[in-house]
Amino acid sequence: MRGPGTWWRGKSTPAKVETYTRGSFHFFALVEVAGAGLPVMGQIGGWPAAGLTLLVCAHAATCMLTVSRAVDWVRGLREQPVRLMCALGAASAVVAVTALGIAEYGPKGDDVDSAAGSVFGVTMIFGMGIIALGVQVRRHVYAVVAGFAAGTAVIVVAMTRSPLGALVTAVIVLLGGGFLAFTAVFSVWLLRSVFELDEARETRTRLAVAEERLRFGRDLHDVMGRNLAVIALKSELAVQLARRGRPEAVEQMIEVQRIAQESQREVRDVVRGYREADLQVELVGAQGVLTAAGITCEVAGEAAGLPVEVQSALAWVVREATTNVLRHGNAQRCAVEVGVREGQVVLTVENDGAAGASDGGGGSGLTGLRERLAAVDGTLEAGRAGEGTFRLVAEVPLTGAGVREVTV
């Protein structure tokens, strides 16, 4: 059974930032209802209190809907909610005018004035800040803040005939709403930056794969291009000699056969060099990549002295395990150990980002690793090793002589 902590750890860093942003601004709407709407019932009473409370709840619901649509717009999932933001601005004005009207023409008393003033200020400030969440251009945010402050002054002057009170109220709304608007702008910037960094990391990974493919293509072209050109020329020469009945045609075809066999050998060497990997290099590379991604990585043991085929198979395990740590879960720590015990080379990769990982089988990546390890009589086990911990263990028997044991 998954708990709240498991649900949170299962999210990627960009998803966590998005969830935190949504939750924070939705919380403002709840604060509006609890801090300004509900106290009205006890401080004012009667039908004015019920009507004002309903308006505050409707305003809070509009705020929550605006937050959802605005964050979706920031993520590029929908269009900018211009109409909804205009509706929120209009709702803020309606609630503010109603609250001020109750304070001026409704029941008298300090409690009434305090409750109505609280509704007025909170509605204007929260409405301003949440509208700023869906505004992209910086000067437009300034215009929203100034517009709400100016509108506040106009409403207060029109209903109370008090320029001083209008000025004080406008300054309070300007400062409070300006701070909330700044928070919204910063949240949008942070959310976009986190997703852009995540996309940049994925792009860098794809570029690295593409670069490796280009390197392999260049090596293969260097090997095959020249040999195929020679084969084509010698085959054409052999055809011409054969048409003339010259015995040299046989020698040319023998040469073609020799070049073709040599090309096969060279291609196998290129592919073997592409598929084989150095375990020590992969261990150092995995530590560097994980550290750069903000994951603490500890590497223990050495690969020196192990047979080449064993190192190649285990190096691929390190590659795949590192990729899985980066792509799946949200690990904070990863430990890699390699050593020789009882005639077996044991590679262990353990991380604490297994919130959403499955317990068995694995996907095509682990299946491919099992196939590579099977070629050297090795085995692979992968699964949970505790709460939030995922462990991958690869074992390969030592078949060669002269390998010194490594104690981890």
Side-chain angles (χ1 to χ4, degrees):
M1 183 176 178
R2 297 180 61 183
T6 303
W7 168 80
W8 178 255
R9 289 194 298 269
K11 290 181 174 291
S12 63
T13 299
K16 286 182 177 179
V17 175
E18 180 181 354
T19 303
Y20 178 79
T21 303
R22 291 180 185 272
S24 298
F25 283 91
H26 281 147
F27 180 72
F28 288 150
L30 297 179
V31 170
E32 178 181 359
V33 174
L38 296 182
V40 168
M41 299 297 296
Q43 293 176 326
I44 298 179
W47 65 264
L52 187 58
T53 301
L54 289 176
L55 285 177
V56 171
C57 292
H59 183 269
T62 307
C63 287
M64 297 180 74
L65 182 59
T66 305
V67 168
S68 297
R69 298 291 177 84
V71 174
D72 287 343
W73 166 70
V74 172
R75 290 280 293 108
L77 303 178
R78 64 170 70 241
E79 296 181 353
Q80 187 179 17
V82 177
R83 293 182 179 179
L84 189 57
M85 291 190 297
C86 292
L88 177 59
S92 300
V94 169
V95 177
V97 169
T98 303
L100 198 57
I102 290 176
E104 288 294 319
Y105 307 108
K108 301 302 180 180
D110 293 339
D111 291 342
V112 174
D113 293 341
S114 175
S118 175
V119 169
F120 183 94
V122 169
T123 300
M124 296 297 286
I125 291 173
F126 283 4
M128 179 196 308
I130 290 177
I131 288 175
L133 192 65
V135 179
Q136 183 174 9
V137 183
R138 191 67 54 82
R139 63 175 180 273
H140 292 172
V141 177
Y142 297 151
V144 169
V145 174
F148 265 79
T152 298
V154 170
I155 292 173
V156 174
V157 167
M159 299 191 69
T160 65
R161 308 297 181 182
S162 173
L164 180 60
L167 178 62
V168 172
T169 306
V171 170
I172 293 175
V173 170
L174 178 65
L175 294 178
F179 175 77
L180 197 58
F182 169 79
T183 303
V185 171
F186 176 77
S187 299
V188 169
W189 172 82
L190 178 63
L191 184 60
R192 284 177 173 158
S193 298
V194 169
F195 274 95
E196 287 175 0
L197 288 175
D198 189 64
E199 292 175 0
R201 185 175 66 176
E202 293 181 0
T203 301
R204 184 175 60 184
T205 302
R206 290 194 296 269
L207 289 176
V209 173
E211 184 178 355
E212 182 64 15
R213 289 175 177 172
L214 288 174
R215 184 195 68 80
F216 179 71
R218 288 194 300 267
D219 292 345
L220 195 60
H221 177 270
D222 292 342
V223 170
M224 295 298 296
R226 172 180 54 83
N227 291 347
L228 289 175
V230 175
I231 288 174
L233 290 174
K234 287 188 172 293
S235 299
E236 184 179 356
L237 178 59
V239 170
Q240 297 297 330
L241 292 174
R243 288 176 178 174
R244 298 174 185 176
R246 301 282 296 274
E248 291 88 347
V250 177
E251 296 179 1
Q252 293 298 324
M253 291 308 300
I254 292 174
E255 182 67 13
V256 168
Q257 183 181 24
R258 185 193 65 80
I259 295 174
Q261 292 173 346
E262 180 69 16
S263 298
Q264 288 180 332
R265 184 188 63 80
E266 291 180 348
V267 169
R268 283 194 295 268
D269 291 340
V270 171
V271 174
R272 185 181 301 111
Y274 179 73
R275 288 182 175 176
E276 289 182 355
D278 183 85
L279 179 56
Q280 189 62 40
V281 172
E282 291 299 328
L283 291 174
V284 174
Q287 187 175 30
V289 169
L290 293 176
T291 302
I295 301 173
T296 302
C297 181
E298 300 176 358
V299 177
E302 298 179 2
L306 298 178
V308 175
E309 62 273 11
V310 174
Q311 288 202 41
S312 178
L314 293 180
W316 277 99
V317 175
V318 174
R319 286 185 186 180
E320 181 67 22
T322 303
T323 302
N324 289 340
V325 171
L326 290 173
R327 289 182 177 177
H328 308 299
N330 190 34
Q332 302 297 323
R333 182 190 62 83
C334 181
V336 183
E337 297 181 2
V338 60
V340 180
R341 294 191 291 268
E342 299 179 357
Q344 299 269 347
V345 183
V346 181
L347 172 68
T348 304
V349 182
E350 183 176 299
N351 71 88
D352 60 356
S358 59
D359 291 331
S364 58
L366 295 182
T367 301
L369 291 182
R370 289 190 174 95
E371 293 175 354
R372 289 181 181 275
L373 291 173
V376 290
D377 298 326
T379 60
L380 179 71
E381 295 182 1
R384 291 181 181 273
E387 180 64 27
T389 301
F390 190 84
R391 179 183 298 161
L392 183 147
V393 180
E395 296 184 0
V396 179
L398 286 174
T399 56
V403 180
R404 64 181 179 85
E405 283 208 352
V406 181
T407 302
V408 179

